Amino acid sequence: MNYIIDHIPRTTPHNRRPGVPMTPQYITIHSTGNPKSTARNERAWLTNPSNTVTASYHIVVDEKEAIEVLPLNEVAWHAGDGNGQGNRASIGIEICESGNRAKTLENAVWLVAKMLNERGWGVDRLKRHYDWSKKICPRIFYDNGRWTGWEQFKDAVQREISGGGNVTQDKNTPSAWAKEAWDWANKEGLLDGTRPKDNLTREEFAVVLKRLADKK
Ligand SMILES: [Zn+2]
């Protein structure tokens, strides 16, 4: 599955990207509530001028791909709990209701397992939108007045983690192939020595380039 990074601009109206820093502690699962929209449709809606709602999330996944629409270290408005932990400390993932449901769920399971692995987290970090604010969401796991499928989803993520063989990866230790370069970059003051497994944003890259240029 493709993982596309296509962040909405800081200037997006209705405060959908407040730019507030966040240290995530949970992953919150949603479903879009729209049986027709794809991940690309959902991404486009965030910057559609006729959208007047203050609502956002971090990643949307469908049968084909996942799109990251906000940096995972910035607050999005998705949990309905105001300034509670749902909005302020969780990564919001929207599962599309369109297309092939089995394939979509397979992609979601893979993505969530990978994200938990990368952070050294277990499935206890997974929450439903419902857990923060009692909204019936993700509704794809709700039927006839009761939750169906949520425990199965978490079980599938757990199986993916267990089968992945990656669960014991220490996220605070650089990989063997990168250690020499990692130590050098820290000794030279180009990096700050933290988060060796995290992605580098374009702005962080710019800071590193400037540190390098300033050394000359
Ligand atoms: Zn939701």
Side-chain angles (χ1 to χ4, degrees):
M1 180 187 58
N2 258 345
Y3 187 90
I4 296 161
I5 296 180
D6 185 11
H7 293 159
I8 63 174
R10 278 286 285 117
T11 52
T12 304
H14 302 285
N15 199 30
R16 275 178 221 122
R17 184 175 173 184
V20 177
M22 173 178 82
T23 304
Q25 296 174 46
Y26 302 96
I27 292 175
T28 301
I29 304 295
H30 306 260
S31 70
T32 58
N34 183 335
K36 293 212 173 98
S37 70
T38 63
R40 284 176 192 236
N41 296 148
E42 291 289 331
R43 165 61 186 82
W45 176 241
L46 286 174
T47 47
N48 185 317
S50 51
N51 180 353
T52 58
V53 180
T54 299
S56 49
Y57 51 88
H58 294 92
I59 304 171
V60 57
V61 57
D62 68 11
E63 62 180 339
K64 266 180 30 195
E65 58 201 359
I67 307 177
E68 182 184 301
V69 304
L70 274 182
L72 306 186
N73 58 1
E74 285 186 23
V75 163
W77 307 117
H78 59 94
D81 66 342
N83 281 319
Q85 292 277 88
N87 278 334
R88 300 300 295 256
S90 89
I91 297 170
I93 298 185
E94 288 280 357
I95 299 177
C96 285
E97 300 183 3
S98 60
N100 181 319
R101 178 64 50 82
K103 185 65 187 144
T104 302
L105 286 176
E106 192 181 299
N107 287 342
V109 164
W110 180 86
L111 172 69
V112 169
K114 177 172 173 289
M115 292 175 67
L116 292 177
N117 265 341
E118 286 170 352
R119 291 163 177 78
W121 292 353
V123 292
D124 56 311
R125 302 285 189 139
L126 291 183
K127 302 286 182 189
R128 297 164 292 188
H129 184 170
Y130 174 82
D131 295 316
W132 301 117
S133 56
K134 298 290 180 259
K135 180 173 176 181
I136 302 300
C137 177
R139 70 172 195 180
I140 54 170
F141 298 135
Y142 193 84
D143 187 40
N144 243 333
R146 62 190 199 93
W147 290 98
T148 58
W150 172 241
E151 291 303 320
Q152 289 92 322
F153 179 79
K154 283 197 293 185
D155 287 348
V157 171
Q158 181 59 58
R159 279 196 302 276
E160 180 76 21
I161 290 174
S162 306
N166 202 23
V167 69
T168 56
Q169 175 189 302
D170 177 0
K171 68 190 173 74
N172 294 315
T173 306
S175 305
W177 56 266
K179 187 167 187 320
E180 187 186 349
W182 175 256
D183 289 344
W184 171 84
N186 290 311
K187 188 164 141 281
E188 293 293 312
L190 302 174
L191 296 178
D192 64 7
T194 67
R195 301 181 291 118
K197 305 286 192 187
D198 269 14
N199 291 328
L200 186 72
T201 64
R202 295 167 70 92
E203 58 189 5
E204 285 173 332
F205 184 51
V207 170
V208 172
L209 287 177
K210 180 152 193 314
R211 284 176 186 159
L212 187 59
D214 286 349
K215 289 173 79 71
K216 297 214 173 101

